[in-house]
Amino acid sequence: MASEITYAEVKFKNESPAPVVKGLPKKKKPEQHPQKYPLWLPWLISLLLLLVCIALVVVLLERGWTCCPKGWRRFQGSCYFLSLDRMNCAESAQNCTGMGSQLVVINSKAEQEFLSKQKTQSVRRDNVYIGLFEEKVGQWQWADKTPYNVTAAFWRKEEPSPGHENCTVMHVPEGNLYNWNNVKPDTMHHRICEAAAVIV
């Protein structure tokens, strides 16, 4: 007896199995903590810090830092050099110009007060040239051509005296604000040079 072979026709359907849908993990609810400050407070602090920074930048840009060369003294927007040596009037003016400055031009009572107090231990300065000259008899002129104002002048009593004294000195030992004296241009005195302070 011969063995029989039985064939069976098997058909597979090309179907993917039904997807298994898993549920999304449940989110944990954040723990509720009582709020210690209002929500707008960090914004307010940030805004205030920003305004402070802007104000500082504006102030620094407008004013800047004022610097003077070594050995010069600063007052307001100017630098002042008090000489250690003596020269005549023309040499004093020329020396200041050579340093990129000029003999001092006094514009205010505050500046006069500042300069009247300038003394050093090493050099005794009795008289110092300032930048006021008599161009013609009775016509005084500042070195930078600033108009001369007699009501803002600080002459000693009985000064300026008439004659050939067409340069001006500040008599430092005077002890008060009114210490200007006119002198002959060939007399040897110390000088005060003035230059604008450098703003950085």
Side-chain angles (χ1 to χ4, degrees):
M1 177 170 180
S3 70
E4 288 184 18
I5 297 176
T6 309
Y7 293 96
E9 191 175 319
V10 179
K11 289 187 179 177
F12 293 97
K13 289 184 178 176
N14 195 6
E15 291 180 5
S16 57
V20 178
V21 178
K22 291 184 180 177
L24 294 173
K26 291 183 180 178
K27 289 185 180 176
K28 271 189 171 180
K29 288 185 178 179
E31 294 180 21
Q32 296 290 329
H33 293 290
Q35 198 164 355
K36 295 179 182 173
Y37 54 84
L39 288 173
W40 51 263
L41 188 61
W43 292 102
L44 179 64
I45 292 171
S46 298
L47 179 64
L48 289 173
L49 286 173
L50 178 65
L51 291 173
V52 167
C53 288
I54 290 171
L56 283 172
V57 167
V58 168
V59 166
L60 288 176
L61 285 177
E62 284 181 359
R63 287 181 55 192
W65 298 101
T66 54
C67 302
C68 291
K70 187 176 180 180
W72 293 59
R73 300 175 187 192
R74 185 174 63 84
F75 178 72
Q76 294 178 346
S78 293
C79 301
Y80 301 90
F81 174 78
L82 285 77
S83 72
L84 299 175
D85 59 339
R86 297 171 190 261
M87 294 181 176
N88 66 33
C89 186
E91 291 168 340
S92 293
Q94 188 175 18
N95 179 265
C96 290
T97 303
M99 292 192 293
S101 61
Q102 65 188 11
L103 281 172
V104 65
V105 174
I106 300 171
N107 296 309
S108 67
K109 181 179 178 184
E111 187 176 19
Q112 172 71 9
E113 287 174 343
F114 168 77
L115 294 171
S116 294
K117 294 175 185 172
Q118 297 308 304
K119 296 181 176 116
T120 61
Q121 302 297 328
S122 59
V123 176
R124 183 171 178 241
R125 294 181 184 90
D126 290 336
N127 291 315
V128 290
Y129 278 114
I130 63 174
L132 185 61
F133 307 97
E134 189 178 34
E135 295 287 322
K136 295 178 184 176
V137 177
Q139 292 183 3
W140 292 89
Q141 180 70 52
W142 285 107
D144 69 349
K145 306 302 179 196
T146 298
Y148 170 72
N149 181 356
V150 71
T151 60
F154 299 93
W155 293 106
R156 293 169 76 185
K157 192 175 181 181
E158 308 295 327
E159 296 291 342
S161 53
H164 299 289
E165 299 179 343
N166 56 358
C167 289
T168 308
V169 294
M170 180 183 286
H171 187 66
V172 178
E174 190 71 23
N176 66 50
L177 284 185
Y178 295 90
N179 57 13
W180 295 358
N181 186 38
N182 60 326
V183 295
K184 292 181 179 178
D186 58 350
T187 53
M188 306 290 277
H189 296 294
H190 295 286
R191 64 202 166 278
I192 301 177
C193 302
E194 178 184 12
V198 177
I199 299 174
V200 292

